[in-house]
Amino acid sequence: MLAASLRRGIIFSLLLTLGSAYAGDEALSDYEWQLNTPGRTLFRDRTPVGQVPLSADGGKGLFAKKGKTSGEQLQVLSDIAFQPGDTMRYFALGLRLIDGDQLIAESFADADEVPGLLSAARYVVSTATNIADTERSETEIYFQSRAGFKLQFVQVGKAQAYVCSFHAGNAERTVSRALTGDQVSIFADLIDLALFELNRQGAGIKIPKSN
């Protein structure tokens, strides 16, 4: 019992440390440039695709008691930006942490990052299942978007943890939530649906093969 608690503490500390170590990529994509350049009119069309219900105490997660469910949800959106009158469109995957009508944190993955995020979510789920019965000294898998969204998996011993993080401009403002493997799997399905919607609007994003 003590060893299991110690492992949980180690993983929790690792996630906090690794989650706060975000360093953004200074090279802006076309989509980020559209959002960050002042003195221009920008039209953004965001459509919710679906959301992953999150548990207040982690539900089936590593750190929690079962049963209690919060109103928090990880929401996935298609996000299209353009200047009025311009035929060029810029595409992204919108990501929000919400609680009812309250926006807690938000980020996005640019069009060229969406296949990588989808592949990472699928890979995390499949790999976590494959190594669940294997003793690991420390194994980490993560994907990080330029805008500061991070999906992360850590295993120490046989204890596993999944986390999503929203970086809000500095390390002190990083917002993180524990996930379960089932929630990451649902998240991957929603990314797939959003990708389909973005391509329907003309994004032309290459769909990665399932792992």
Side-chain angles (χ1 to χ4, degrees), residues 183-199:
Q183 288 168 336
V184 176
S185 182
I186 295 170
F187 181 52
D189 290 341
L190 291 177
I191 297 171
D192 203 8
L193 288 173
L195 196 155
F196 175 83
E197 175 60 23
L198 290 170
N199 280 340

Side-chain angles (χ1 to χ4, degrees), residues 33-56:
W33 186 86
Q34 295 293 321
L35 266 58
N36 287 289
T37 301
R40 54 201 278 112
T41 301
L42 189 65
F43 185 100
R44 290 182 73 183
D45 192 2
R46 285 168 285 198
T47 304
V49 173
Q51 47 277 326
V52 183
L54 305 181
S55 299

Side-chain angles (χ1 to χ4, degrees), residues 80 89-91 195-205:
I80 304 171
R89 298 291 187 268
Y90 301 92
F91 302 92
L195 196 155
F196 175 83
E197 175 60 23
L198 290 170
N199 280 340
R200 190 181 70 83
Q201 297 287 342
I205 302 171

Side-chain angles (χ1 to χ4, degrees), residues 99-119:
D99 189 346
D101 294 331
Q102 180 185 5
L103 176 64
I104 300 171
E106 66 178 336
S107 189
F108 63 87
D110 207 346
D112 61 357
E113 297 178 310
V114 176
L117 177 57
L118 176 55
S119 293

